[in-house]
Each structure stands twice: as C-alpha cells, then as structure tokens.
Amino acid sequence: MREVDVVGVRVEMPSSQPIVLLKEVSGERYLPIWIGAAEASAIAFAQQGMEPPRPLTHDLFAEAIRVLGHTLSQVRIVNLTDGVFEAILVFDDKTELSARPSDSIALALRTGTPVFCAEEILAEAGIPVPESETGADEVEEEEEVERFREFLDQVTPEDFDKS
C-alpha cells in the first residue's frame, strides 16, 4: 500500500463529470477517480474547511464514529474492476467496512485519516507526472493545481480503459 494525498476535485469537460485526483506521497503518480457530484462537493467542502449549517452525511458518519468511541485509522483503495474502484475503511479495532472511494476520501478528510492505495492500482491506473526541475519542495500549490487542470483538459475516461 502506498500513501496518497488528495490533490483536489475538478469537473472534467465536456462531460461535466467530477474527478478527485490523488497523488502518491513518495512518488510521481497521480490517480484520477471519477466520482459523483455530491461526493465531489463533500470532498471540496472538507478540503476548504467549510462547515455547512447542517451536517452532511459524511459529517454525521464522522460524528457517529467519534460518539461510539472509535476512530478511523486508515482508508484503503484496494480494488479496480472494470473501471470501478473499491475502498475499505479500517477502524481502530481492526474492523473493516467496504465503501466507495469517494465516500471514504470525504470521511478521511473530515477525520484526518491517511489514505492508502494498493500498488497494483497505481501501476494499472496511475498516471506519472514528473515534478518540476526545481524539486518537489519548491513546487507551489498553485503550480500543482495548474498541472492538474492541464492534465484534466487532456484526459478522458477512455484513457483508463485497459480492456
């Protein structure tokens, strides 16, 4: 398993399909996952630190975990079959719960939980995007977002169909 960061959410044009982009922490591969609009909003809200006037579903689930005396220890993206990703929520007591990656990522952002991805998935669906020559530490967040936009302007869902 490789740890990944959530780079951001964007709407892929012309299909208007939201995408969440993950990047491996110790590497140069990016993993785009097409997601639903509601989950895209939930991820974007969490990344921006926005709190809605009433809790969203992911906020409710995070609070339920806390009130029940547990913590979410890991989110794992574990499978990719016919273009559909699968994730597992791993709790502090080692309980595992199958979930969609989009819901898992939204929950991870709310709880400060690390996200991991199976090496096989990164090998199959990851897109290498080399860092700039100045080095990863000097790359500004705005530059990374711009590279993400450029990447999304060129990629289509068919690019990931390995069948």
Side-chain angles (χ1 to χ4, degrees):
M1 299 297 276
R2 305 280 298 210
E3 187 170 3
V4 294
D5 284 333
V6 181
V7 175
V9 175
R10 175 128 191 260
V11 176
E12 187 267 333
M13 298 307 282
S15 70
S16 297
Q17 180 70 38
I19 299 172
V20 62
L21 186 68
L22 307 176
K23 182 189 183 299
E24 65 182 326
V25 171
S26 298
E28 61 181 26
R29 292 176 291 188
Y30 286 76
L31 182 67
I33 300 176
W34 276 259
I35 61 175
E39 293 78 14
S41 294
I43 291 169
F45 280 3
Q47 275 197 306
Q48 296 168 8
M50 294 175 58
E51 288 196 31
R54 301 284 298 147
L56 298 174
T57 304
H58 302 97
D59 301 311
L60 175 64
F61 193 35
E63 182 65 6
I65 294 168
R66 187 190 68 76
V67 168
L68 293 171
H70 291 281
T71 58
L72 182 62
S73 60
Q74 286 186 0
V75 165
R76 297 180 187 161
I77 300 171
V78 295
N79 198 17
L80 173 60
T81 306
D82 297 327
V84 177
F85 291 87
E86 298 173 31
I88 294 176
L89 302 174
V90 181
F91 296 91
D92 56 344
D93 64 356
K94 307 294 184 230
T95 299
E96 295 184 1
L97 181 64
S98 179
R100 297 183 304 181
S102 55
D103 291 326
S104 301
I105 292 166
L107 187 58
L109 289 172
R110 283 166 172 75
T111 59
T113 302
V115 179
F116 294 88
C117 184
E119 175 61 38
E120 303 80 39
I121 294 172
L122 286 167
E124 179 180 341
I127 307 294
V129 179
E131 296 292 345
S132 72
E133 307 232 349
T134 60
D137 292 340
E138 297 176 26
V139 175
E140 297 293 326
E141 185 175 323
E142 291 178 23
E143 292 174 2
E144 188 167 347
V145 169
E146 183 57 34
R147 284 199 328 263
F148 177 37
R149 287 187 177 120
E150 290 172 8
F151 167 76
L152 290 177
D153 288 341
Q154 299 171 8
V155 72
T156 65
E158 291 76 27
D159 292 334
F160 302 98
D161 183 14
K162 303 277 184 181
S163 53

